[in-house]
Amino acid sequence: KNQVEQSPQSLIILEGKNCTLQCNYTVSPFSNLRWYKQDTGRGPVSLTIMTFSENTKSNGRYTATLDADTKQSSLHITASQLSDSASYICVVSGGDSWGKLQFGAGTQVVVTP
Amino acid sequence: GAVVSQHPSRVICKSGTSVKIECRSLDFQATTMFWYRQFPKQSLMLMATSNEGSKATYEQGVEKDKFLINHASLTLSTLTVTSAHPEDSSFYICSARSTETQYFGPGTRLLVL
């Protein structure tokens, strides 16, 4: 069973609207949680990385939250743009800070005009 | 930010031939690099961990004699797919670990005919 579950699998939003992606994990012990953006046919690009003690982190229009007690994270995209169309992957690192990465299956976001 | 490059970006080869993919960290030294494989609409799957100057560590189910990894310097790791078959067609992504985080390459699309 995958230790990192993402929802929804995909979503379509209108340009300019906001959306929130969810990530639940069971990885233990926990080190950090990262959100990556992967454009089609490209490698993942880091958006945020949060450790146990961090509840929220922003990167431009992307804001990630983390609740280490409930083992949940979200990624909020504000005022979406067409260039936000991509797969967003939640990645959890266990053990030490360089523990093995556990990848979620990703949420495919399509922003339409 | 740190950049990881891969070469080639895409390759088409005949069944039975070998293909070499290069992964370079361009502005930092990486003692550890990782090789992933990604099938369509699936998440990244770790194949092996490449350690500079020592043998690679392969994940369960990955044939080390088929996927040869060499990490001869702190900025270069290579993955050679030997005797490639159509089922090896996939998107291969490398990543390199810096002191801050893990950076992913842009990926190599391999198509075996």
Side-chain angles (χ1 to χ4, degrees):
Chain A
K1 187 181 189 304
N2 197 350
Q3 297 185 62
V4 180
E5 299 283 349
Q6 291 187 241
S7 62
Q9 277 190 329
S10 62
L11 68 95
I12 301 173
I13 58 173
L14 288 174
E15 185 179 12
K17 298 296 185 181
N18 304 334
C19 68
T20 300
L21 316 179
Q22 299 292 339
C23 174
N24 297 336
Y25 63 93
T26 58
V27 177
S28 182
F30 169 84
S31 177
N32 58 68
L33 185 146
R34 313 150 191 240
W35 283 95
Y36 285 88
K37 177 186 178 186
Q38 185 179 21
D39 293 310
T40 300
R42 305 291 293 174
V45 174
S46 179
L47 295 176
T48 63
I49 177 170
M50 290 181 291
T51 59
F52 182 89
S53 60
E54 296 175 291
N55 301 120
T56 184
K57 183 163 283 189
S58 293
N59 179 357
R61 294 180 296 102
Y62 301 103
T63 299
T65 65
L66 172 64
D67 186 335
D69 292 329
T70 62
K71 298 187 177 182
Q72 296 179 326
S73 176
S74 66
L75 180 69
H76 187 76
I77 305 176
T78 303
S80 60
Q81 300 177 359
L82 297 179
S83 59
D84 292 332
S85 295
S87 178
Y88 291 84
I89 305 172
C90 175
V91 183
V92 180
S93 176
D96 61 30
S97 59
W98 292 116
K100 185 176 178 178
L101 300 184
Q102 301 288 342
F103 289 79
T107 293
Q108 186 69 45
V109 174
V110 175
V111 181
T112 63
Chain B
V3 177
V4 174
S5 70
Q6 282 185 240
H7 178 79
S9 58
R10 57 180 62 209
V11 57
I12 301 174
C13 70
K14 292 183 179 179
S15 184
T17 61
S18 294
V19 174
K20 180 185 283 189
I21 303 171
E22 292 185 350
C23 176
R24 294 181 184 274
S25 57
L26 297 185
D27 54 2
F28 66 99
Q29 294 183 329
T31 56
T32 304
M33 291 185 174
F34 304 87
W35 287 97
Y36 296 86
R37 182 166 49 184
Q38 185 178 32
F39 293 104
K41 299 188 184 301
Q42 295 186 23
S43 192
L44 282 72
M45 296 294 295
L46 180 65
M47 298 175 65
T49 302
S50 171
N51 300 298
E52 187 267 337
S54 64
K55 291 184 178 180
T57 304
Y58 290 82
E59 294 300 300
Q60 190 174 9
V62 178
E63 300 175 56
K64 63 179 181 180
D65 294 330
K66 180 172 181 61
F67 298 99
L68 301 179
I69 291 174
N70 183 278
H71 195 155
S73 77
L74 289 172
T75 59
L76 173 64
S77 175
T78 61
L79 169 68
T80 301
V81 183
T82 62
S83 187
H85 291 285
E87 56 265 30
D88 298 325
S89 298
S90 187
F91 192 50
Y92 292 86
I93 304 174
C94 74
S95 72
R97 177 185 288 176
S98 74
T99 55
E100 306 145 357
T101 186
Q102 193 165 317
Y103 295 96
F104 289 86
T108 296
R109 175 74 61 190
L110 171 64
L111 176 61
V112 184
L113 302 177

